[in-house]
Amino acid sequence: MPKLYWEDFAPGSVAEYGPRQVTREEIIAFAAEFDPQSFHLDEDAARSSMFGGLAASGWHSCSLLMRIIADGFVIDSSSMGSPGVDEVKWRAPVRPADRLRVRATVLESRPSHSRREMGLVKFLFEMFNQADVAVMSLRMTSMFGRRMPAASQAAPAHADAQ
Amino acid sequence: MPKLYWEDFAPGSVAEYGPRQVTREEIIAFAAEFDPQSFHLDEDAARSSMFGGLAASGWHSCSLLMRIIADGFVIDSSSMGSPGVDEVKWRAPVRPADRLRVRATVLESRPSHSRREMGLVKFLFEMFNQADVAVMSLRMTSMFGRRMPAASQAAPAHADAQ
């Protein structure tokens, strides 16, 4: 049974998850599979790039954030996935051996109009390295099952028409 | 030497890249590493979820899109990375054995104000499966080196002040 339902994500609430360390080998392996640009793959090429050294693919950063929040709370929740992301900002390079943590802020929460058993939560996720540098921020909406579906709540019979 | 520079991405131009097939094993391996929610990992759990069957993590879809455009043009370009993404929409599940292709539309192009050797391009990327279902769309800005840096162009001496 999930521990966290839609009702548990109160607007304004803040939580931190992680840290998770990323290795040079993981950065290179991700790049080789998904983003084989030289500054993600090769230390020498990266040194002469605008990154000044090996830097993780931005999609690797997103994937690491997902793993940190999955371990942090998503796996223990009634997660029903996500319709998408409003914004990703890659603010600073993620480097080999970085220890990453994620601050999750609940920006908004609303019940689903179309599905009574579901609610939507808009999060701001900010990822920091061990030096407290913000390496990425990401605003996204997630869908969660409700502990108490709308139909079971005390409400006037015409509530759906409102 | 890169084949494509900032000047080569004309607003309104459209190109298609791919296809690339994704396997069940890849979907599960990505989920195990980055997004271990049951509907991305386990066929039985996925069947009773809102996905109705195993579905790739949305971050896996993003990473696959990156690989398709990397092979398609980014590796042959003067890519200087990206500051971020304006929007990701996960429109339909990506399934085992899907053959994915990407349509890239150049939405906007502008020179960098701060770096004469660089220009920015805003893309709309749409990813389709073998049934021509749009599984994802993504708007993002990429940075490219210029073939002819601004300083070398014929321009009045006071151009920078304008």
Side-chain angles (χ1 to χ4, degrees):
Chain A
M1 292 296 294
K3 290 183 201 159
L4 294 170
Y5 290 84
W6 171 74
E7 289 85 346
D8 298 309
F9 298 96
S13 65
V14 179
E16 283 213 11
Y17 306 103
R20 183 181 175 94
Q21 193 160 40
V22 61
T23 67
R24 176 182 310 271
E25 291 68 32
E26 288 169 343
I27 287 174
I28 292 171
F30 188 99
E33 187 168 0
F34 296 116
D35 192 356
Q37 299 186 75
S38 58
F39 38 73
H40 300 319
L41 264 182
D42 180 84
E43 185 70 64
D44 287 337
R47 205 170 295 123
S48 58
S49 77
M50 68 285 178
F51 287 115
L54 197 69
S57 166
W59 299 112
H60 193 188
S61 298
C62 289
S63 301
L64 288 164
L65 183 147
M66 182 68 231
R67 180 57 192 256
I68 291 168
I69 63 171
D71 290 343
F73 73 95
V74 176
I75 294 298
D76 289 330
S77 78
S78 59
S79 166
M80 299 175 74
S82 164
V85 177
D86 293 326
E87 181 185 85
V88 181
K89 289 189 178 174
W90 291 306
R91 297 177 180 280
V94 170
R95 305 288 193 184
D98 272 2
R99 276 195 3 265
L100 303 168
R101 59 198 168 72
V102 173
R103 182 165 67 203
T105 303
V106 176
L107 298 178
E108 294 175 33
S109 172
R110 66 170 180 84
S112 166
H113 298 306
S114 57
R115 299 182 59 177
R116 291 168 166 226
E117 78 283 12
M118 193 172 92
L120 293 99
V121 179
K122 186 175 283 192
F123 290 98
L124 168 66
F125 295 118
E126 297 162 288
M127 192 157 77
F128 300 90
N129 66 17
Q130 66 282 357
D132 291 331
V133 172
V135 294
M136 184 171 70
S137 66
L138 196 151
R139 286 189 294 115
M140 72 180 284
T141 299
S142 296
M143 302 178 291
F144 295 95
R146 299 179 63 157
R147 184 174 278 119
M148 297 202 293
S152 69
Q153 293 181 321
H158 60 280
D160 278 354
Q162 292 181 335
Chain B
M1 291 296 295
K3 289 184 202 157
L4 294 168
Y5 289 84
W6 171 73
E7 288 86 345
D8 298 310
F9 299 96
S13 65
V14 178
E16 283 214 9
Y17 305 104
R20 183 181 174 93
Q21 192 160 39
V22 61
T23 68
R24 176 181 309 272
E25 291 67 32
E26 287 169 342
I27 287 174
I28 292 171
F30 187 99
E33 186 168 0
F34 295 117
D35 192 355
Q37 299 186 75
S38 58
F39 37 73
H40 300 320
L41 265 183
D42 180 83
E43 185 69 64
D44 288 337
R47 205 170 296 122
S48 58
S49 77
M50 68 284 178
F51 288 115
L54 197 69
S57 166
W59 299 113
H60 194 188
S61 297
C62 290
S63 301
L64 288 164
L65 183 148
M66 182 67 231
R67 180 57 192 256
I68 291 168
I69 63 170
D71 290 343
F73 73 95
V74 176
I75 294 299
D76 289 330
S77 78
S78 58
S79 166
M80 298 176 74
S82 165
V85 177
D86 294 326
E87 181 184 86
V88 181
K89 289 189 178 173
W90 291 307
R91 296 176 180 279
V94 170
R95 305 288 194 184
D98 272 2
R99 275 196 3 266
L100 303 168
R101 60 195 169 76
V102 173
R103 182 165 67 203
T105 304
V106 176
L107 299 178
E108 295 175 33
S109 172
R110 67 171 179 84
S112 167
H113 299 307
S114 58
R115 300 181 60 175
R116 291 168 166 227
E117 78 281 14
M118 193 173 91
L120 293 98
V121 179
K122 185 174 282 191
F123 291 98
L124 168 66
F125 295 118
E126 297 162 287
M127 192 157 77
F128 301 89
N129 65 18
Q130 65 283 356
D132 291 330
V133 173
V135 294
M136 184 171 70
S137 65
L138 195 151
R139 287 189 294 116
M140 73 180 283
T141 299
S142 296
M143 302 177 292
F144 295 96
R146 297 178 65 158
R147 183 173 280 118
M148 296 203 293
S152 70
Q153 293 182 321
H158 59 281
D160 277 354
Q162 291 180 338

PDB file of all heavy atoms in Angstrom, chain A residues 19-47:
ATOM      1  N   PRO A  19      21.580  12.496  -0.439  1.00  0.00           N
ATOM      2  CA  PRO A  19      22.305  12.688  -1.694  1.00  0.00           C
ATOM      3  C   PRO A  19      22.517  11.378  -2.451  1.00  0.00           C
ATOM      4  O   PRO A  19      22.358  10.291  -1.890  1.00  0.00           O
ATOM      5  CB  PRO A  19      23.646  13.230  -1.216  1.00  0.00           C
ATOM      6  CG  PRO A  19      23.873  12.583   0.101  1.00  0.00           C
ATOM      7  CD  PRO A  19      22.501  12.440   0.706  1.00  0.00           C
ATOM      8  N   ARG A  20      22.839  11.554  -3.717  1.00  0.00           N
ATOM      9  CA  ARG A  20      23.259  10.442  -4.569  1.00  0.00           C
ATOM     10  C   ARG A  20      24.508  10.882  -5.320  1.00  0.00           C
ATOM     11  O   ARG A  20      24.534  11.961  -5.897  1.00  0.00           O
ATOM     12  CB  ARG A  20      22.156  10.073  -5.561  1.00  0.00           C
ATOM     13  CG  ARG A  20      22.523   8.864  -6.426  1.00  0.00           C
ATOM     14  CD  ARG A  20      21.420   8.546  -7.417  1.00  0.00           C
ATOM     15  NE  ARG A  20      21.808   7.479  -8.316  1.00  0.00           N
ATOM     16  CZ  ARG A  20      21.521   6.182  -8.115  1.00  0.00           C
ATOM     17  NH1 ARG A  20      20.844   5.810  -7.053  1.00  0.00           N
ATOM     18  NH2 ARG A  20      21.930   5.275  -8.980  1.00  0.00           N
ATOM     19  N   GLN A  21      25.516  10.034  -5.287  1.00  0.00           N
ATOM     20  CA  GLN A  21      26.762  10.373  -5.973  1.00  0.00           C
ATOM     21  C   GLN A  21      26.741   9.824  -7.393  1.00  0.00           C
ATOM     22  O   GLN A  21      26.220   8.733  -7.629  1.00  0.00           O
ATOM     23  CB  GLN A  21      27.943   9.790  -5.208  1.00  0.00           C
ATOM     24  CG  GLN A  21      29.281  10.359  -5.673  1.00  0.00           C
ATOM     25  CD  GLN A  21      30.375  10.170  -4.651  1.00  0.00           C
ATOM     26  OE1 GLN A  21      30.468   9.134  -4.006  1.00  0.00           O
ATOM     27  NE2 GLN A  21      31.207  11.192  -4.488  1.00  0.00           N
ATOM     28  N   VAL A  22      27.283  10.612  -8.304  1.00  0.00           N
ATOM     29  CA  VAL A  22      27.396  10.147  -9.700  1.00  0.00           C
ATOM     30  C   VAL A  22      28.881   9.987 -10.032  1.00  0.00           C
ATOM     31  O   VAL A  22      29.702  10.829  -9.669  1.00  0.00           O
ATOM     32  CB  VAL A  22      26.682  11.113 -10.676  1.00  0.00           C
ATOM     33  CG1 VAL A  22      27.282  12.518 -10.636  1.00  0.00           C
ATOM     34  CG2 VAL A  22      26.709  10.568 -12.094  1.00  0.00           C
ATOM     35  N   THR A  23      29.197   8.886 -10.692  1.00  0.00           N
ATOM     36  CA  THR A  23      30.606   8.603 -11.002  1.00  0.00           C
ATOM     37  C   THR A  23      30.946   9.003 -12.435  1.00  0.00           C
ATOM     38  O   THR A  23      30.074   9.148 -13.297  1.00  0.00           O
ATOM     39  CB  THR A  23      30.914   7.104 -10.848  1.00  0.00           C
ATOM     40  OG1 THR A  23      30.206   6.382 -11.866  1.00  0.00           O
ATOM     41  CG2 THR A  23      30.500   6.594  -9.468  1.00  0.00           C
ATOM     42  N   ARG A  24      32.243   9.143 -12.681  1.00  0.00           N
ATOM     43  CA  ARG A  24      32.744   9.386 -14.032  1.00  0.00           C
ATOM     44  C   ARG A  24      32.270   8.289 -14.985  1.00  0.00           C
ATOM     45  O   ARG A  24      31.837   8.566 -16.108  1.00  0.00           O
ATOM     46  CB  ARG A  24      34.274   9.411 -13.997  1.00  0.00           C
ATOM     47  CG  ARG A  24      34.959   9.551 -15.353  1.00  0.00           C
ATOM     48  CD  ARG A  24      36.492   9.516 -15.184  1.00  0.00           C
ATOM     49  NE  ARG A  24      36.885  10.452 -14.155  1.00  0.00           N
ATOM     50  CZ  ARG A  24      37.168  11.740 -14.383  1.00  0.00           C
ATOM     51  NH1 ARG A  24      37.119  12.206 -15.611  1.00  0.00           N
ATOM     52  NH2 ARG A  24      37.489  12.533 -13.392  1.00  0.00           N
ATOM     53  N   GLU A  25      32.312   7.041 -14.508  1.00  0.00           N
ATOM     54  CA  GLU A  25      31.924   5.915 -15.359  1.00  0.00           C
ATOM     55  C   GLU A  25      30.436   6.027 -15.733  1.00  0.00           C
ATOM     56  O   GLU A  25      30.042   5.732 -16.861  1.00  0.00           O
ATOM     57  CB  GLU A  25      32.184   4.592 -14.634  1.00  0.00           C
ATOM     58  CG  GLU A  25      33.668   4.265 -14.451  1.00  0.00           C
ATOM     59  CD  GLU A  25      34.392   5.201 -13.476  1.00  0.00           C
ATOM     60  OE1 GLU A  25      33.766   5.694 -12.503  1.00  0.00           O
ATOM     61  OE2 GLU A  25      35.598   5.476 -13.713  1.00  0.00           O
ATOM     62  N   GLU A  26      29.595   6.426 -14.785  1.00  0.00           N
ATOM     63  CA  GLU A  26      28.167   6.579 -15.081  1.00  0.00           C
ATOM     64  C   GLU A  26      27.923   7.707 -16.079  1.00  0.00           C
ATOM     65  O   GLU A  26      27.078   7.593 -16.970  1.00  0.00           O
ATOM     66  CB  GLU A  26      27.384   6.862 -13.785  1.00  0.00           C
ATOM     67  CG  GLU A  26      27.265   5.643 -12.874  1.00  0.00           C
ATOM     68  CD  GLU A  26      26.737   6.008 -11.492  1.00  0.00           C
ATOM     69  OE1 GLU A  26      26.769   7.208 -11.113  1.00  0.00           O
ATOM     70  OE2 GLU A  26      26.310   5.092 -10.767  1.00  0.00           O
ATOM     71  N   ILE A  27      28.643   8.801 -15.915  1.00  0.00           N
ATOM     72  CA  ILE A  27      28.492   9.943 -16.835  1.00  0.00           C
ATOM     73  C   ILE A  27      28.848   9.524 -18.259  1.00  0.00           C
ATOM     74  O   ILE A  27      28.117   9.814 -19.217  1.00  0.00           O
ATOM     75  CB  ILE A  27      29.366  11.134 -16.357  1.00  0.00           C
ATOM     76  CG1 ILE A  27      28.731  11.770 -15.114  1.00  0.00           C
ATOM     77  CG2 ILE A  27      29.563  12.161 -17.475  1.00  0.00           C
ATOM     78  CD1 ILE A  27      29.573  12.862 -14.468  1.00  0.00           C
ATOM     79  N   ILE A  28      29.949   8.813 -18.392  1.00  0.00           N
ATOM     80  CA  ILE A  28      30.410   8.384 -19.723  1.00  0.00           C
ATOM     81  C   ILE A  28      29.475   7.319 -20.299  1.00  0.00           C
ATOM     82  O   ILE A  28      29.148   7.352 -21.496  1.00  0.00           O
ATOM     83  CB  ILE A  28      31.871   7.905 -19.642  1.00  0.00           C
ATOM     84  CG1 ILE A  28      32.783   9.101 -19.345  1.00  0.00           C
ATOM     85  CG2 ILE A  28      32.290   7.195 -20.936  1.00  0.00           C
ATOM     86  CD1 ILE A  28      34.219   8.739 -19.036  1.00  0.00           C
ATOM     87  N   ALA A  29      29.017   6.399 -19.460  1.00  0.00           N
ATOM     88  CA  ALA A  29      28.125   5.339 -19.955  1.00  0.00           C
ATOM     89  C   ALA A  29      26.800   5.922 -20.432  1.00  0.00           C
ATOM     90  O   ALA A  29      26.263   5.525 -21.478  1.00  0.00           O
ATOM     91  CB  ALA A  29      27.880   4.299 -18.848  1.00  0.00           C
ATOM     92  N   PHE A  30      26.241   6.869 -19.683  1.00  0.00           N
ATOM     93  CA  PHE A  30      24.992   7.505 -20.110  1.00  0.00           C
ATOM     94  C   PHE A  30      25.197   8.224 -21.433  1.00  0.00           C
ATOM     95  O   PHE A  30      24.396   8.091 -22.368  1.00  0.00           O
ATOM     96  CB  PHE A  30      24.487   8.485 -19.043  1.00  0.00           C
ATOM     97  CG  PHE A  30      23.115   9.029 -19.350  1.00  0.00           C
ATOM     98  CD1 PHE A  30      21.987   8.488 -18.750  1.00  0.00           C
ATOM     99  CD2 PHE A  30      22.937  10.072 -20.267  1.00  0.00           C
ATOM    100  CE1 PHE A  30      20.706   8.983 -19.052  1.00  0.00           C
ATOM    101  CE2 PHE A  30      21.671  10.561 -20.571  1.00  0.00           C
ATOM    102  CZ  PHE A  30      20.558  10.011 -19.963  1.00  0.00           C
ATOM    103  N   ALA A  31      26.280   8.975 -21.521  1.00  0.00           N
ATOM    104  CA  ALA A  31      26.554   9.732 -22.756  1.00  0.00           C
ATOM    105  C   ALA A  31      26.741   8.793 -23.940  1.00  0.00           C
ATOM    106  O   ALA A  31      26.240   9.057 -25.035  1.00  0.00           O
ATOM    107  CB  ALA A  31      27.788  10.614 -22.561  1.00  0.00           C
ATOM    108  N   ALA A  32      27.435   7.690 -23.729  1.00  0.00           N
ATOM    109  CA  ALA A  32      27.674   6.751 -24.829  1.00  0.00           C
ATOM    110  C   ALA A  32      26.362   6.182 -25.339  1.00  0.00           C
ATOM    111  O   ALA A  32      26.202   5.939 -26.540  1.00  0.00           O
ATOM    112  CB  ALA A  32      28.591   5.631 -24.359  1.00  0.00           C
ATOM    113  N   GLU A  33      25.405   5.990 -24.424  1.00  0.00           N
ATOM    114  CA  GLU A  33      24.129   5.415 -24.850  1.00  0.00           C
ATOM    115  C   GLU A  33      23.184   6.462 -25.436  1.00  0.00           C
ATOM    116  O   GLU A  33      22.485   6.178 -26.413  1.00  0.00           O
ATOM    117  CB  GLU A  33      23.450   4.699 -23.663  1.00  0.00           C
ATOM    118  CG  GLU A  33      22.194   3.937 -24.090  1.00  0.00           C
ATOM    119  CD  GLU A  33      21.663   2.995 -23.019  1.00  0.00           C
ATOM    120  OE1 GLU A  33      22.270   2.916 -21.927  1.00  0.00           O
ATOM    121  OE2 GLU A  33      20.630   2.350 -23.287  1.00  0.00           O
ATOM    122  N   PHE A  34      23.161   7.664 -24.851  1.00  0.00           N
ATOM    123  CA  PHE A  34      22.081   8.595 -25.189  1.00  0.00           C
ATOM    124  C   PHE A  34      22.519   9.961 -25.724  1.00  0.00           C
ATOM    125  O   PHE A  34      21.736  10.633 -26.385  1.00  0.00           O
ATOM    126  CB  PHE A  34      21.194   8.834 -23.959  1.00  0.00           C
ATOM    127  CG  PHE A  34      20.468   7.624 -23.481  1.00  0.00           C
ATOM    128  CD1 PHE A  34      20.722   7.082 -22.229  1.00  0.00           C
ATOM    129  CD2 PHE A  34      19.528   7.007 -24.296  1.00  0.00           C
ATOM    130  CE1 PHE A  34      20.040   5.949 -21.780  1.00  0.00           C
ATOM    131  CE2 PHE A  34      18.842   5.873 -23.867  1.00  0.00           C
ATOM    132  CZ  PHE A  34      19.109   5.346 -22.608  1.00  0.00           C
ATOM    133  N   ASP A  35      23.708  10.411 -25.397  1.00  0.00           N
ATOM    134  CA  ASP A  35      24.076  11.792 -25.729  1.00  0.00           C
ATOM    135  C   ASP A  35      25.572  11.872 -26.013  1.00  0.00           C
ATOM    136  O   ASP A  35      26.332  12.517 -25.281  1.00  0.00           O
ATOM    137  CB  ASP A  35      23.687  12.715 -24.566  1.00  0.00           C
ATOM    138  CG  ASP A  35      23.768  14.190 -24.930  1.00  0.00           C
ATOM    139  OD1 ASP A  35      24.198  14.519 -26.046  1.00  0.00           O
ATOM    140  OD2 ASP A  35      23.396  15.027 -24.068  1.00  0.00           O
ATOM    141  N   PRO A  36      26.006  11.219 -27.132  1.00  0.00           N
ATOM    142  CA  PRO A  36      27.443  11.072 -27.372  1.00  0.00           C
ATOM    143  C   PRO A  36      28.111  12.323 -27.920  1.00  0.00           C
ATOM    144  O   PRO A  36      28.803  12.263 -28.941  1.00  0.00           O
ATOM    145  CB  PRO A  36      27.503   9.899 -28.357  1.00  0.00           C
ATOM    146  CG  PRO A  36      26.202   9.963 -29.089  1.00  0.00           C
ATOM    147  CD  PRO A  36      25.185  10.476 -28.094  1.00  0.00           C
ATOM    148  N   GLN A  37      27.899  13.462 -27.250  1.00  0.00           N
ATOM    149  CA  GLN A  37      28.650  14.667 -27.582  1.00  0.00           C
ATOM    150  C   GLN A  37      29.976  14.604 -26.807  1.00  0.00           C
ATOM    151  O   GLN A  37      30.021  14.141 -25.670  1.00  0.00           O
ATOM    152  CB  GLN A  37      27.857  15.921 -27.212  1.00  0.00           C
ATOM    153  CG  GLN A  37      26.529  16.016 -27.962  1.00  0.00           C
ATOM    154  CD  GLN A  37      25.810  17.338 -27.708  1.00  0.00           C
ATOM    155  OE1 GLN A  37      26.188  18.371 -28.224  1.00  0.00           O
ATOM    156  NE2 GLN A  37      24.751  17.292 -26.909  1.00  0.00           N
ATOM    157  N   SER A  38      31.037  15.102 -27.422  1.00  0.00           N
ATOM    158  CA  SER A  38      32.378  14.846 -26.895  1.00  0.00           C
ATOM    159  C   SER A  38      32.559  15.378 -25.472  1.00  0.00           C
ATOM    160  O   SER A  38      33.255  14.771 -24.668  1.00  0.00           O
ATOM    161  CB  SER A  38      33.430  15.442 -27.832  1.00  0.00           C
ATOM    162  OG  SER A  38      33.218  16.827 -27.975  1.00  0.00           O
ATOM    163  N   PHE A  39      31.885  16.504 -25.141  1.00  0.00           N
ATOM    164  CA  PHE A  39      32.076  17.063 -23.794  1.00  0.00           C
ATOM    165  C   PHE A  39      31.367  16.256 -22.701  1.00  0.00           C
ATOM    166  O   PHE A  39      31.563  16.501 -21.517  1.00  0.00           O
ATOM    167  CB  PHE A  39      31.677  18.545 -23.730  1.00  0.00           C
ATOM    168  CG  PHE A  39      30.453  18.904 -24.552  1.00  0.00           C
ATOM    169  CD1 PHE A  39      29.196  18.519 -24.142  1.00  0.00           C
ATOM    170  CD2 PHE A  39      30.587  19.643 -25.727  1.00  0.00           C
ATOM    171  CE1 PHE A  39      28.073  18.870 -24.888  1.00  0.00           C
ATOM    172  CE2 PHE A  39      29.481  19.989 -26.481  1.00  0.00           C
ATOM    173  CZ  PHE A  39      28.213  19.603 -26.063  1.00  0.00           C
ATOM    174  N   HIS A  40      30.537  15.281 -23.115  1.00  0.00           N
ATOM    175  CA  HIS A  40      29.941  14.355 -22.136  1.00  0.00           C
ATOM    176  C   HIS A  40      30.681  13.019 -22.085  1.00  0.00           C
ATOM    177  O   HIS A  40      30.418  12.186 -21.213  1.00  0.00           O
ATOM    178  CB  HIS A  40      28.476  14.067 -22.487  1.00  0.00           C
ATOM    179  CG  HIS A  40      27.595  15.273 -22.510  1.00  0.00           C
ATOM    180  ND1 HIS A  40      27.674  16.286 -21.583  1.00  0.00           N
ATOM    181  CD2 HIS A  40      26.590  15.636 -23.354  1.00  0.00           C
ATOM    182  CE1 HIS A  40      26.765  17.214 -21.866  1.00  0.00           C
ATOM    183  NE2 HIS A  40      26.096  16.846 -22.928  1.00  0.00           N
ATOM    184  N   LEU A  41      31.580  12.802 -23.047  1.00  0.00           N
ATOM    185  CA  LEU A  41      32.186  11.472 -23.252  1.00  0.00           C
ATOM    186  C   LEU A  41      33.669  11.426 -22.953  1.00  0.00           C
ATOM    187  O   LEU A  41      34.186  10.400 -22.524  1.00  0.00           O
ATOM    188  CB  LEU A  41      32.048  11.082 -24.733  1.00  0.00           C
ATOM    189  CG  LEU A  41      30.911  10.223 -25.193  1.00  0.00           C
ATOM    190  CD1 LEU A  41      31.075   9.976 -26.678  1.00  0.00           C
ATOM    191  CD2 LEU A  41      30.819   8.906 -24.438  1.00  0.00           C
ATOM    192  N   ASP A  42      34.344  12.522 -23.229  1.00  0.00           N
ATOM    193  CA  ASP A  42      35.797  12.471 -23.306  1.00  0.00           C
ATOM    194  C   ASP A  42      36.408  13.632 -22.526  1.00  0.00           C
ATOM    195  O   ASP A  42      36.127  14.803 -22.810  1.00  0.00           O
ATOM    196  CB  ASP A  42      36.203  12.549 -24.798  1.00  0.00           C
ATOM    197  CG  ASP A  42      37.697  12.500 -24.983  1.00  0.00           C
ATOM    198  OD1 ASP A  42      38.262  11.397 -25.013  1.00  0.00           O
ATOM    199  OD2 ASP A  42      38.308  13.592 -25.078  1.00  0.00           O
ATOM    200  N   GLU A  43      37.240  13.309 -21.552  1.00  0.00           N
ATOM    201  CA  GLU A  43      37.799  14.324 -20.652  1.00  0.00           C
ATOM    202  C   GLU A  43      38.618  15.370 -21.412  1.00  0.00           C
ATOM    203  O   GLU A  43      38.498  16.580 -21.147  1.00  0.00           O
ATOM    204  CB  GLU A  43      38.655  13.632 -19.581  1.00  0.00           C
ATOM    205  CG  GLU A  43      39.204  14.537 -18.501  1.00  0.00           C
ATOM    206  CD  GLU A  43      38.120  15.063 -17.562  1.00  0.00           C
ATOM    207  OE1 GLU A  43      37.495  14.227 -16.859  1.00  0.00           O
ATOM    208  OE2 GLU A  43      37.889  16.283 -17.536  1.00  0.00           O
ATOM    209  N   ASP A  44      39.432  14.921 -22.359  1.00  0.00           N
ATOM    210  CA  ASP A  44      40.283  15.860 -23.096  1.00  0.00           C
ATOM    211  C   ASP A  44      39.453  16.822 -23.939  1.00  0.00           C
ATOM    212  O   ASP A  44      39.677  18.037 -23.924  1.00  0.00           O
ATOM    213  CB  ASP A  44      41.267  15.101 -23.995  1.00  0.00           C
ATOM    214  CG  ASP A  44      42.365  14.435 -23.177  1.00  0.00           C
ATOM    215  OD1 ASP A  44      42.624  14.885 -22.043  1.00  0.00           O
ATOM    216  OD2 ASP A  44      42.948  13.452 -23.675  1.00  0.00           O
ATOM    217  N   ALA A  45      38.481  16.257 -24.669  1.00  0.00           N
ATOM    218  CA  ALA A  45      37.622  17.110 -25.487  1.00  0.00           C
ATOM    219  C   ALA A  45      36.828  18.067 -24.601  1.00  0.00           C
ATOM    220  O   ALA A  45      36.623  19.238 -24.946  1.00  0.00           O
ATOM    221  CB  ALA A  45      36.669  16.250 -26.316  1.00  0.00           C
ATOM    222  N   ALA A  46      36.395  17.574 -23.453  1.00  0.00           N
ATOM    223  CA  ALA A  46      35.588  18.406 -22.551  1.00  0.00           C
ATOM    224  C   ALA A  46      36.392  19.575 -22.003  1.00  0.00           C
ATOM    225  O   ALA A  46      35.863  20.668 -21.797  1.00  0.00           O
ATOM    226  CB  ALA A  46      35.043  17.548 -21.406  1.00  0.00           C
ATOM    227  N   ARG A  47      37.695  19.351 -21.804  1.00  0.00           N
ATOM    228  CA  ARG A  47      38.522  20.390 -21.195  1.00  0.00           C
ATOM    229  C   ARG A  47      38.595  21.619 -22.097  1.00  0.00           C
ATOM    230  O   ARG A  47      38.617  22.755 -21.618  1.00  0.00           O
ATOM    231  CB  ARG A  47      39.922  19.838 -20.894  1.00  0.00           C
ATOM    232  CG  ARG A  47      40.628  20.580 -19.769  1.00  0.00           C
ATOM    233  CD  ARG A  47      41.908  19.865 -19.337  1.00  0.00           C
ATOM    234  NE  ARG A  47      41.648  18.562 -18.757  1.00  0.00           N
ATOM    235  CZ  ARG A  47      42.165  17.399 -19.201  1.00  0.00           C
ATOM    236  NH1 ARG A  47      42.960  17.388 -20.245  1.00  0.00           N
ATOM    237  NH2 ARG A  47      41.876  16.269 -18.597  1.00  0.00           N
TER     238      ARG A  47
END
